[in-house]
Amino acid sequence: METVFKKSKFSWEDYFSDKMKDEHRFSTEESLAKEAKEKLFHLNGRKTLLDFGCGAGDLLIYYVPHYEKIVGVDFSSSMLFEAEKKVRHHKYKNVDLILADNRTVWEKLDTKFDQITVAGVVQYLTPEQVDDFILNASAYLNEDGKISFFDIIDPKLYSLWKIGWFSQNFIHRDIFLRACTSCLKKISAFLENRPADTIGNSYSPQIIEKIARKNGFQMEYAKSMYYEYRYHAILSKIS
């Protein structure tokens, strides 16, 4: 009897299903406060905020004092459980947490927002999903509202970071060895039907801007202060 071996399909939902910690370079209270302060600078206040992909709430709890109402969304129940503990610890009353993904979140919302923030999430979406997200999000923005995609991985800069380019101890002769190691990891990941890097996909600013303009948004570009290979894309409606 002839049998056909089928690989199980990888999904980021499954990967994060039991995770309980967000991925930050530094997870100390001081460093998270600084990272949140940078993002709050770009968000520029107002009253209501949708934090899509809030994870364990590491940044969300720093946003709360600056808004009248915040809704945090994530597709990982274990992550939301951790976020809920943080919200209760700080005794915040102006936060709602919703279990949903980029497809189901919209049917669970009953209000519009001044700001929609998406931090470290674009890397887990396909270009088509990014397109759909912007299209759907635009219907839930108040007048002059903005969508802030934070910490998008820049493919060119990430490649340089991966080989240690930004390290103070960078040695040029190590480039070949690092490149070979990276190729072997990609081949292994392909054979095992898993991502070559659990950090996710990378998108150039030009790709994000093209998708944004297709949906009637203009994009403001800003480099991340804490990750050499990441950037922020602040989207506002073209007037």
Side-chain angles (χ1 to χ4, degrees):
M1 180 182 294
E2 185 177 352
T3 60
V4 178
F5 175 74
K6 292 184 178 181
K7 298 179 181 179
S8 59
K9 186 177 180 180
F10 175 87
S11 74
W12 289 111
E13 287 86 349
D14 293 338
Y15 176 79
F16 283 105
S17 63
D18 60 350
K19 298 293 187 295
M20 302 179 71
K21 292 183 179 180
D22 292 328
E23 297 178 357
H24 299 279
R25 174 173 289 180
F26 304 108
S27 296
T28 64
E29 186 173 336
E30 181 182 4
S31 62
L32 289 173
K34 289 180 179 179
E35 187 175 336
K37 186 176 181 180
E38 178 204 10
K39 291 174 170 59
L40 283 166
F41 170 79
H42 292 295
L43 290 172
N44 196 25
R46 301 186 73 179
K47 293 183 178 181
T48 53
L49 170 71
L50 172 65
D51 185 8
F52 180 81
C54 66
D58 287 347
L59 297 177
L60 179 143
I61 59 172
Y62 291 100
Y63 299 157
V64 177
H66 300 271
Y67 289 88
E68 293 181 6
K69 181 68 176 180
I70 286 186
V71 175
V73 178
D74 206 274
F75 61 45
S76 170
S77 58
S78 57
M79 287 283 206
L80 276 186
F81 179 72
E82 294 301 310
E84 185 179 12
K85 288 198 296 186
K86 292 182 177 70
V87 170
R88 287 202 309 265
H89 174 75
H90 289 276
K91 299 180 180 179
Y92 290 139
K93 303 297 183 182
N94 58 332
V95 182
D96 287 335
L97 299 175
I98 298 176
L99 180 65
D101 59 23
N102 54 293
R103 300 179 302 274
T104 61
V105 59
W106 313 111
E107 63 192 36
K108 298 185 178 184
L109 300 175
D110 57 5
T111 186
K112 292 187 176 183
F113 300 89
D114 297 321
Q115 302 278 3
I116 296 178
T117 178
V118 186
V121 173
V122 171
Q123 63 211 55
Y124 305 118
L125 303 177
T126 64
E128 293 76 19
Q129 289 173 328
V130 174
D131 191 339
D132 288 342
F133 186 92
I134 295 174
L135 176 63
N136 289 321
S138 64
Y140 287 85
L141 279 178
N142 287 326
E143 187 176 356
D144 298 326
K146 293 184 179 182
I147 304 172
S148 297
F149 288 119
F150 290 130
D151 297 327
I152 303 173
I153 301 171
D154 187 320
K156 180 173 64 177
L157 295 179
Y158 181 63
S159 297
L160 291 175
W161 177 82
K162 193 74 172 177
I163 64 172
W165 184 270
F166 299 107
S167 171
Q168 293 182 342
N169 301 317
F170 177 72
I171 301 176
H172 286 80
R173 64 173 178 269
D174 289 343
I175 293 179
F176 180 74
L177 177 60
R178 290 174 182 265
C180 289
T181 301
S182 178
C183 287
L184 289 174
K185 287 183 177 179
K186 289 181 179 180
I187 294 172
S188 175
F190 174 78
L191 294 175
E192 296 176 11
N193 193 37
R194 58 177 174 78
D197 196 330
T198 55
I199 200 168
N201 304 313
S202 58
Y203 293 100
S204 70
Q206 291 78 15
I207 290 178
I208 300 297
E209 184 171 22
K210 182 178 179 180
I211 297 174
R213 288 194 170 275
K214 175 187 173 184
N215 288 284
F217 286 84
Q218 59 187 6
M219 187 186 99
E220 178 185 351
Y221 167 90
K223 294 183 67 175
S224 169
M225 292 177 59
Y226 298 99
Y227 302 92
E228 303 92 335
Y229 55 92
R230 294 180 184 265
Y231 66 93
H232 310 318
I234 316 301
L235 277 53
S236 55
K237 275 287 187 181
I238 298 175
S239 55

